[in-house]
Amino acid sequence: MADKKEKERLSGQAACRKNDVVILEITDMGAEGEGIAKLNGYTLFIKDALTGDRIKACVMKTNKYFGYARILEILEPSPYRVEPRCPVARQCGGCQLQHCSYEKQLAWKEEKVRSCLSRIGGFHNVVMEPILAMDKPYYYRNKAQFPVGVDKGGALIAGFYAGRTHSIIKNTNCIIQHPCNHEIVETVLQFMRDYKIPAYNEKNHTGLVRHILTRVGEDTGEAMVCLVINGTFIPEAGELTSRLLACHLTGKDVGQSLAIKSICLNINREKTNVILGKKVKVLYGNPFIEDKIGDIVYRISPLSFYQVNPEQTKKLYDTVLEYADLQGQEVVWDLYCGIGTISLFLAQKAKKVCGVEIVPQAVRDAEENARRNHFTNVEFFEGAAEEIVPEQYQKSNGSLKADVVTLDPPRKGCDAKLLETVVSMEPERIVYVSCDPATLARDLRYLCDRGYELKRVRACDMFGMGYHVETVCVLGNKNRKPDDYLKVNIDVDKIHDILDQEKAEKEAKEKSQSK
Ligand code: SAH
């Protein structure tokens, strides 16, 4: 065993050793946007290097199959190379592709999806529709989380974590965040300096202010400021509120202004990397703000999931709606529904939409969003999709069917148990929205081995300057005859009766145990 390890180490070192200075041609880019070069057949990954660059680099680490190197000098820049707009682009962990032209970012993202579909899913020669590009790939994010800390000299700072670390890169003027953040964050920092309110220190779990969280309703012009604190209250909260309300916050477009509608504290006293605690205290206004996508108003609280790029979200949801191709009579299951954003978008054109979501607060938000927008044809189920859907299918003795199923899972994709049930529900179409092309390709293969075929695929750029890519695709059911279409019926009330009964039984049991 020891021998094998030593062999592996040596074979890595055959091409180069740690601290070697080498000249490299960058020929490709890896999954996280890093440059890839071959040195005598041996693969090296180089952060911030770009296809077409010729660089002088220093080898940092090697193993059997690949190694890492760091740029010392760019000898010949790639034709795709541009000057990053942000002075801390390289240190900050937020953006990975600012040095790459936006056109090349888009082409690379499309290629990433195509290559996963082919390598992992075995879908070769897929013709993708053109990527949904951003009009302006800057200042787009509607949610920011600034860690607060001190610099080497002890001065209070806020910014973003450096890649893969927790050291804070000072920056309150991020070029992918909404421009209002600068004034909000500087106002909070000045308040903390004036009243000697300490930043949280994660090493010894002391201090108070951990993060400054902001959210903006791009369409409504409403803004939220939430301080995540290691405590239960903040001194001089009234003064903080007045200072924040006195801020003159400008929007992205000339003449547009924003109004702070919510100032909150989020209590997080745990020794944890998780940013938000469970409890929210309101200092001013509501515990939420509102935003609109298309014609639908959504309520967003500090804890709810909401897409971060409103311009692209609209394009993404329009594509989902187009792919779902609803005629008005369909029963739709929207799995991983969050606060019901896609569910309500589809409910505009469907007979009935059932959403399933694991986070209880998101389900409450989804129900509230349905109510406020006067939808009566939506129902939400709380729980893991891979548990709720198979359970309901079993209880219905196989009569639970759907015309269209939408899937929008987190990066790890869908559980096979869920996909198996989805296939049994025999939907005419499955629309899959994915934030990870690798797990998407895996899940598509599963579905296509069970009677579905991939019809349309389109990537969407939700994260300009970052390496993530969103994809939407639609699968058609090869076995379902056109006549079967629109004959699906489900008894949602019955399912709710069962769930209510189970809940009542559980509560009664808990009550009798606590006596
Ligand atoms: N469709 C929504 C949310 C997509 S994000 C939108 O566009 O806004 C993925 C969602 O899946 C999150 O809300 C997350 O809480 C939820 N989720 C994660 N694991 C889940 C599971 N096993 N079952 C159901 N929902 C889950």
Side-chain angles (χ1 to χ4, degrees), residues 305 307 317 336-338 341-342 356-359 383-386 408-410:
F305 175 88
Q307 297 282 1
Y317 291 178
Y336 309 90
C337 70
T341 33
I342 292 180
V356 182
E357 163 61 43
I358 202 165
V359 174
E386 62 276 22
D408 186 3

Side-chain angles (χ1 to χ4, degrees), residues 483-501:
D483 284 358
D484 295 343
Y485 186 42
L486 304 185
K487 281 194 188 154
V488 165
N489 245 322
I490 55 156
D491 193 346
V492 174
D493 290 339
K494 207 164 143 194
I495 297 171
H496 273 274
D497 287 348
I498 297 170
L499 285 179
D500 288 348
Q501 199 185 335

